[in-house]
Amino acid sequence: MSKNSWLDEIKWDDQGLVPAIAQDFQTGQILMMAWMNQESLLLTKQEQRAVYWSRSRSRLWRKGEESGHVQKLHSLQLDCDADVILLRVEQIGGIACHTGRPHCFFRTLQADQWHENVAVVKNPKEIYSHD
């Protein structure tokens, strides 16, 4: 049995990715969803911080590498079908979303329209120098 056989138990998609949900370890709030490959998941475990695979940039993405809003890992969990990872994290700085909000799920469907229900904590232009 290999040292990282736990990685082999995960059902990776045809691109070698698995969806990963980040959840606040204290409140239970779902912060965001991203993708992980084997390398990012292994690095997440080793570094004890969230490391994702950015599909748009085609590279590893350490959450907070530009914004400083790091996700400190508290636990990793695998769902019953072995095809979704749950990261229970401490969100440093209180902002998980690139829009400057505490989490990415800030739109609620009401009367067939999406309504924003979470205020921006910090303007993204103040967080990201190149956006």
Side-chain angles (χ1 to χ4, degrees), residues 37-112:
N37 63 11
Q38 287 193 17
E39 183 181 10
S40 67
L41 184 53
L42 188 58
L43 287 169
T44 295
K45 181 180 173 282
Q46 290 172 347
E47 297 178 13
Q48 292 296 292
R49 67 174 280 186
V51 180
Y52 299 108
W53 176 257
S54 172
R55 295 183 306 166
S56 61
R57 300 177 215 156
S58 296
R59 69 170 178 83
L60 291 173
W61 160 45
R62 283 172 172 79
K63 178 69 175 155
E65 66 189 17
E66 295 175 30
S67 67
H69 300 138
V70 173
Q71 291 176 342
K72 182 180 173 189
L73 185 67
H74 281 258
S75 69
L76 282 171
Q77 294 176 272
L78 183 62
D79 80 324
C80 58
D81 294 323
D83 61 1
V84 178
I85 300 290
L86 176 66
L87 292 84
R88 297 193 42 136
V89 300
E90 176 184 354
Q91 180 64 60
I92 307 301
I95 298 173
C97 186
H98 73 279
T99 66
R101 292 178 173 86
H103 56 83
C104 295
F105 297 95
F106 57 87
R107 295 180 190 141
T108 302
L109 187 63
Q110 297 171 339
D112 294 332

